[in-house]
Amino acid sequence: MTKIFIINGGQKFGHSGGRFNETIAAATAQFFENEPGFEVKTTNINDKYDPKAEVEKYVWADVIIYHTPVWWFQVPHGFKQYIDVVFTEGHQNGIYLSDGRSSANPKINYGTGGMLHGRKYMVTSSWNAPEEAFTLPNEFFMQTNVDDGVLFGFHRMNAFTGMSRIDGIHFHDVEKNADIASDLKRYEAHLRQNFLQQDLAASA
């Protein structure tokens, strides 16, 4: 059984009801629950959670799937709080031992103290910004894609724990020009390609 831990980071705050990420997270759970060979656990950051139990989910999982909107070019503050609290709980307790350096040579090996080696993660993000804001010359993100730009630190955070990355998927223009049916179809194809048509163990 491949163990999938799904985290819905779509915070309910201000004018955001978190509906898009609720939809994507539910679709993720349904996809894996309908396929043989997968076991699923979930967390919604809007609900009360026990940090110790969340660490245990990370340790239990083979793959962590994060779903997050991007607010002001960062993950929502509730999702960031979840990460801060849970990763602190996981210090020397399942997520990371240290920053990986030794006092004998502190200039090297930073970021090698993770405890989640052998596990993988994937992230989806949702944006008001259209895809063209990232791809066209002279547009806002200066032709820097999501993973190399806004989510670069998020990816390094997961690498710090020892996890390796499965390519994610990003949903654009979800406020002014949403096409949920098309997004869900594209997302299901992405999941099929990455989890059913490839051997996760072989790509580790």
Side-chain angles (χ1 to χ4, degrees), residues 20-21 23-24 27 124-127 131 169-175 177-191:
F20 183 84
N21 281 277
T23 299
I24 296 298
T124 76
S125 69
S126 53
W127 295 77
E131 186 174 6
I169 189 169
H170 308 297
F171 303 100
H172 297 284
D173 215 357
V174 300
E175 290 193 25
N177 194 29
D179 186 348
I180 306 302
S182 177
D183 284 340
L184 286 171
K185 185 176 180 180
R186 183 166 62 96
Y187 181 52
E188 181 178 351
H190 182 84
L191 291 176

Side-chain angles (χ1 to χ4, degrees), residues 38 75 82-83 94 98 109 148 173 175-176 178-179 185:
F38 294 96
V75 301
Y82 170 89
I83 292 167
S98 67
N109 294 324
D148 293 334
D173 215 357
E175 290 193 25
K176 293 185 172 65
D179 186 348
K185 185 176 180 180

Side-chain angles (χ1 to χ4, degrees), residues 144-159:
T144 303
N145 66 39
V146 173
D147 294 297
D148 293 334
V150 170
L151 289 187
F152 178 80
F154 189 87
H155 289 303
R156 299 321 298 159
M157 173 195 82
N158 284 281

Side-chain angles (χ1 to χ4, degrees), residues 5-203:
F5 176 30
I6 302 164
I7 302 174
N8 177 7
Q11 184 179 352
K12 297 177 182 179
F13 176 79
H15 69 276
S16 175
R19 292 185 299 275
F20 183 84
N21 281 277
E22 281 186 358
T23 299
I24 296 298
T28 307
Q30 183 178 42
F31 175 87
F32 289 110
E33 287 167 353
N34 288 341
E35 294 290 339
F38 294 96
E39 187 176 355
V40 174
K41 292 185 179 182
T42 64
T43 285
N44 185 324
I45 61 98
N46 296 282
D47 300 333
K48 186 176 180 180
Y49 54 84
D50 173 9
K52 183 177 179 180
E54 296 304 300
V55 171
E56 290 171 354
K57 290 179 184 177
Y58 270 88
V59 173
W60 167 86
D62 298 307
V63 181
I64 290 89
I65 298 179
Y66 301 99
H67 298 296
T68 184
V70 174
W71 292 0
W72 291 109
F73 318 112
Q74 304 172 68
V75 301
H77 61 271
F79 185 24
K80 180 59 166 61
Q81 181 181 36
Y82 170 89
I83 292 167
D84 289 346
V85 169
V86 173
F87 280 35
T88 298
E89 179 69 27
H91 179 212
Q92 298 185 344
N93 190 33
I95 292 182
Y96 73 104
L97 281 170
S98 67
D99 70 8
R101 296 179 297 165
S102 70
S103 56
N105 194 349
K107 296 184 183 298
I108 62 170
N109 294 324
Y110 177 81
T112 61
M115 300 176 71
L116 295 176
H117 293 279
R119 294 165 182 81
K120 294 178 178 290
Y121 77 95
M122 189 184 85
V123 58
T124 76
S125 69
S126 53
W127 295 77
N128 172 54
E131 186 174 6
E132 290 78 6
F134 299 86
T135 61
L136 294 179
N138 302 316
E139 286 297 314
F140 186 80
F141 290 98
M142 300 181 289
Q143 294 181 286
T144 303
N145 66 39
V146 173
D147 294 297
D148 293 334
V150 170
L151 289 187
F152 178 80
F154 189 87
H155 289 303
R156 299 321 298 159
M157 173 195 82
N158 284 281
F160 190 97
T161 72
M163 289 193 284
S164 58
R165 174 179 155 191
I166 297 170
D167 286 340
I169 189 169
H170 308 297
F171 303 100
H172 297 284
D173 215 357
V174 300
E175 290 193 25
K176 293 185 172 65
N177 194 29
D179 186 348
I180 306 302
S182 177
D183 284 340
L184 286 171
K185 185 176 180 180
R186 183 166 62 96
Y187 181 52
E188 181 178 351
H190 182 84
L191 291 176
R192 289 191 176 279
Q193 178 182 356
N194 284 279
F195 291 92
L196 302 185
Q197 298 171 10
Q198 297 183 17
D199 183 349
L200 284 177
S203 62

